[in-house]
Each structure stands twice: as C-alpha cells, then as structure tokens.
Amino acid sequence: MSRPPHLHPGLIALVALGGAAGTLARWGMTTSIPHPHEWPVATLAENLIGAFLLGLLLEALVRAGDETRPRRMIRLGLGTGALGGFTTFSTFALEIERLLTSGHVGLAVGYFTVSLVGGFLTCMLGVILASRHHRWRERRLPLDPDQGVVSDPTAPGGDRP
C-alpha cells in the first residue's frame, strides 16, 4: 500500500516550493499596484487571475486523462502550491473587515460581490478556454497515429503503389 500524497515528503516539498513562488509573485504584484480610494485592486486582481489560471490548469489536467505521476506533480506544484500561494482568501476577508469597520459598507459589499462573481466567471473562462483548446487539439491531431495518419503518395518518401 502506497503512502497518501499528503504524507509524501517529496510532494509536500513540491507544494511548499510552489507556494513560495506564488506568494512571492503575489507580494510583487501587491507592492507594484496602487490601491486608490480604499479599493483593494491588487488582491482583487490576484484572486481573479488565480481563479482563471486554476480553472484553466485543472480543466487541462482533467482532459489530459487519468492522473499520472507527472500530472499529480503539476496539479500539486502549480495548482495547490503556486496558485494557492498567489491567491489570498485571508487578505480578502481582512480587507472586507477593514472596509466595514471604517464605514465603507457599500465599498465592502461591492468588493465582496465583484470578488465572488468575478472569481466564478474568470474560473469558468479558464475552464472554457482549456476545453476549447482540448477540442481543437483533438481535431488537429489523430488520437491513434496508426489509424489517423494518411500517407500522401505525392509527398517525398510517401506511399506509392
């Protein structure tokens, strides 16, 4: 019986490494984006971008087939680690609390609504784009090279009767 992923030191290290990279990227984005008029633009952008990328990544992995070791490492390193570190629910919750306690109730409700609805919509956009890309690749590439490749008899080296 194999060890569950959450007890595997290599996978834990992969999630931690991805989390550090995602957190560093979030820090860079937070410090470079101004937040005018109390509106937390950086956190909103990070969460929307993260939702989009997570939808894109997970849909692409699901459509690629069963979870293999490399796909598990991508899911854990990029999805759980990097995108988990890049997005921030705790900062979002803290910013809502600060907006409410400072009397900016309308702004807090707007920020909450835009974050939730926008997060859902950007995630769905990622899922749709990954799904369309997968269908486009299926139409372009034969699934079974032995059955899908048609030899061109006029091409150099092609099958000739």
Side-chain angles (χ1 to χ4, degrees):
M1 189 163 134
S2 68
R3 208 176 335 180
H6 68 279
L7 297 178
H8 192 282
L11 295 177
I12 293 170
L14 184 65
V15 170
L17 185 63
T23 302
L24 190 61
R26 178 166 48 96
W27 175 80
M29 196 164 164
T30 299
T31 56
S32 64
I33 295 178
H35 45 282
H37 310 295
E38 306 291 329
W39 185 263
V41 176
T43 304
L44 177 64
E46 291 153 2
N47 286 337
L48 295 180
I49 291 169
F52 170 77
L53 292 175
L54 194 57
L56 188 74
L57 173 68
L58 294 181
E59 182 68 15
L61 289 173
V62 164
R63 292 196 175 263
D66 292 336
E67 185 169 80
T68 59
R69 181 175 167 77
R71 288 185 192 130
R72 175 185 289 170
M73 292 176 72
I74 291 170
R75 178 176 59 82
L76 292 175
L78 288 179
T80 304
L83 293 175
F86 184 70
T87 58
T88 175
F89 183 75
S90 58
T91 302
F92 166 70
L94 181 64
E95 289 168 344
I96 294 288
E97 185 274 334
R98 287 186 179 163
L99 287 170
L100 289 172
T101 56
S102 65
H104 296 95
V105 176
L107 196 59
V109 170
Y111 177 51
F112 179 83
T113 304
V114 167
S115 292
L116 290 186
V117 172
F120 176 76
L121 292 176
T122 55
C123 180
M124 290 307 300
L125 180 62
V127 168
I128 290 168
L129 287 178
S131 173
R132 287 187 176 186
H133 178 74
H134 179 77
R135 285 193 308 252
W136 175 77
R137 284 195 66 197
E138 277 186 341
R139 284 193 305 263
R140 283 197 67 199
L141 301 174
L143 294 177
D144 184 354
D146 293 334
Q147 295 176 357
V149 174
V150 177
S151 181
D152 181 4
T154 61
D159 294 334
R160 293 176 195 250

